[in-house]
Amino acid sequence: MTLGLCMIVKDEEGVLARCLQSASGIFDHIAVADTGSKDDTKEIASKYADVVADFLWQDDFAAARNFSFSLSKADYIMWLDADDVLLPGDRAALLSLKEKLDGTVDAYMLPYRMGEERDALLYYRERIVRRACGFLWTGAVHEVIPVSGKIEYADAVVTHKKPQGRRATCRNLCIYAKQFSRGKTPDERQKFYFARELKDNGLYDTAASAYEWFLRGDGWIENKICACRDLAACYKALGRRRKSLVALFKSFEYAPPRPEICCDLGAAFFEEGDFRQAIFWYKLALNEKADAKAGGFVLPDCSGFLPCIWLAVCYDKLGEYERAAAYNALAGQYKPSDKSYLHNKLYFENLLKSKGKNL
């Protein structure tokens, strides 16, 4: 069966060639919808794509995505953003998956990694859909495909490589403002992402109100857990420590403690000089393993390297140097070339040596 690639782009001359080159040789058909580029984006796209079409921007990402999908006649359709890439191992995994396409699976969920590092933020997205299902994108901002039927998870990772220097803009907030001004009521998912946009633009007080608004509704549990963490960060930025802690603890209403939440709690108590409390939460983070297939945002570092390195610091603060050195050594198993681990290793070697002990 055929596999097509559909993209929407605008002024992406700096990254588009990198993306399409990484995808070269995989797809049977590539369609690119341009939403108003002023640079050489369309010229670059034409070197790789079978179809490059103009789409009049309507302040609606879902509408643009749906138009791009209409340009493809492939049996299965995959989507990428211009600043996404397929690393060599993931190209091979995707080619292997392509050989297995037989029309019996309606949608494939693929991992989406924010950066090349193994410990970068990771979550799954609906990445490949069967065209005959007629799935449509929804949401003017932070659009999504509500998939159904037979859904499978695959291992081919899409890596998001945000260009250096690119900063958060108010573009998405402006789209939300236009939606609200037209009387459109956001669904629970859009409430969550509206709050995230406010937070990313440094509007912490308003973002906190938006997160509280979202948490009063019946949104998806994974989004609620993430909202608690984000809400805590907003209150921390506003200097409201107690409210920050309350927000983190509120996440326990929805699910057992997640490693990311535990690390945040460990950091909060460490900053207060309560090292025993910090140790409790960092140890709990180390013992909990997040499941990316649950759909939430996962930071692998929070169940491995991060709690280990901070446990080393906490025990050092308490004068329990051998325990501290042991946790630092454990951190080194996760990241043997990390500067913090190597610095601590030399520090503990010299410290224990001065006390007549060895690591």
Side-chain angles (χ1 to χ4, degrees):
M1 305 196 80
T2 54
L3 176 63
L5 172 64
C6 292
M7 302 179 64
I8 61 171
V9 296
K10 180 182 178 182
D11 295 333
E12 298 286 4
E13 65 178 5
V15 293
L16 184 57
R18 179 187 68 186
C19 171
L20 290 171
Q21 183 60 42
S22 78
S24 179
I26 297 176
F27 298 96
D28 301 292
H29 185 268
I30 298 177
V32 176
D34 186 272
T35 62
S37 292
K38 300 293 193 296
D39 61 7
D40 291 332
T41 293
K42 291 173 66 176
E43 288 73 15
I44 295 169
S46 65
K47 296 178 182 178
Y48 298 89
D50 300 281
V51 176
V52 179
D54 291 315
F55 178 77
L56 182 63
W57 180 240
Q58 304 169 10
D59 287 327
D60 190 329
F61 281 93
R65 296 277 190 197
N66 287 328
F67 173 75
S68 73
F69 272 31
S70 74
L71 302 173
S72 180
K73 302 301 180 185
D75 298 306
Y76 281 89
I77 297 174
M78 179 169 171
W79 63 275
L80 290 172
D81 287 332
D83 45 5
D84 294 336
V85 295
L86 296 168
L87 301 179
D90 300 309
R91 277 179 51 89
L94 185 56
L95 283 167
S96 177
L97 175 61
K98 182 183 176 184
E99 293 299 315
K100 299 175 183 176
L101 298 177
D102 61 5
T104 62
V105 177
D106 298 310
Y108 287 92
M109 307 290 290
L110 301 187
Y112 201 16
R113 180 177 287 131
M114 301 291 103
E116 293 187 61
E117 300 82 5
R118 285 180 54 196
D119 54 4
L121 179 71
L122 180 75
Y123 60 102
Y124 277 79
R125 284 296 311 258
E126 66 295 353
R127 184 65 64 173
I128 300 174
V129 297
R130 188 163 66 91
R131 186 171 64 86
C133 292
F135 295 132
L136 292 175
W137 290 86
T138 64
V141 187
H142 295 289
E143 63 280 15
V144 66
I145 309 174
V147 294
S148 58
K150 186 177 181 181
I151 301 170
E152 290 191 359
Y153 287 77
D155 297 328
V157 179
V158 175
T159 298
H160 186 73
K161 294 179 66 175
K162 185 177 179 179
Q164 290 186 350
R166 180 178 288 184
R167 298 178 180 178
T169 69
C170 64
R171 177 198 63 190
N172 291 348
L173 281 178
C174 290
I175 294 175
Y176 278 124
K178 290 177 182 178
Q179 295 272 317
F180 298 159
S181 70
R182 295 168 188 157
K184 185 167 182 178
T185 302
D187 60 21
E188 294 302 316
R189 186 175 188 277
Q190 288 299 318
K191 287 180 184 178
F192 170 67
Y193 280 102
F194 172 58
R196 284 178 68 86
E197 288 292 336
L198 291 167
K199 173 180 172 288
D200 289 346
N201 282 275
L203 303 172
Y204 300 117
D205 203 5
T206 309
S209 297
Y211 278 121
E212 297 279 12
W213 177 38
F214 166 71
L215 288 169
R216 288 193 294 270
D218 59 355
W220 185 36
I221 283 178
E222 292 298 330
N223 283 351
K224 286 200 168 190
I225 294 170
C226 183
C228 289
R229 189 166 186 247
D230 290 346
L231 177 59
C234 290
Y235 282 135
K236 180 179 178 181
L238 294 168
R240 302 175 189 173
R241 178 184 179 274
R242 188 177 182 282
K243 281 201 166 188
S244 180
L245 287 175
V246 168
L248 292 172
F249 285 123
K250 184 174 178 59
S251 70
F252 300 164
E253 294 180 17
Y254 309 115
R258 297 290 172 84
E260 295 81 6
I261 297 286
C262 292
C263 283
D264 288 347
L265 285 165
F269 286 108
F270 180 88
E271 289 171 6
E272 294 296 314
D274 191 343
F275 304 122
R276 290 293 178 194
Q277 279 264 41
I279 285 170
F280 173 85
W281 292 109
Y282 282 128
K283 282 187 174 180
L284 188 57
L286 194 57
N287 289 328
E288 295 296 318
K289 301 299 178 186
D291 179 12
K293 291 183 179 179
F297 299 133
V298 170
L299 285 165
D301 235 7
C302 288
S303 56
F305 176 80
L306 190 60
C308 287
I309 204 75
W310 280 104
L311 282 165
V313 176
C314 288
Y315 278 118
D316 178 65
K317 292 287 187 181
L318 294 170
E320 299 181 33
Y321 304 119
E322 291 182 76
R323 279 190 174 183
Y327 275 109
N328 189 64
L330 187 55
Q333 293 180 21
Y334 290 98
K335 293 185 177 182
S337 60
D338 181 82
K339 291 181 180 179
S340 298
Y341 156 69
L342 293 173
H343 171 83
N344 289 353
K345 183 174 182 291
L346 181 61
Y347 165 76
F348 288 123
E349 284 176 349
N350 292 333
L351 180 63
L352 294 178
K353 186 177 179 180
S354 70
K355 296 179 179 298
K357 299 177 180 179
N358 296 311
L359 279 179

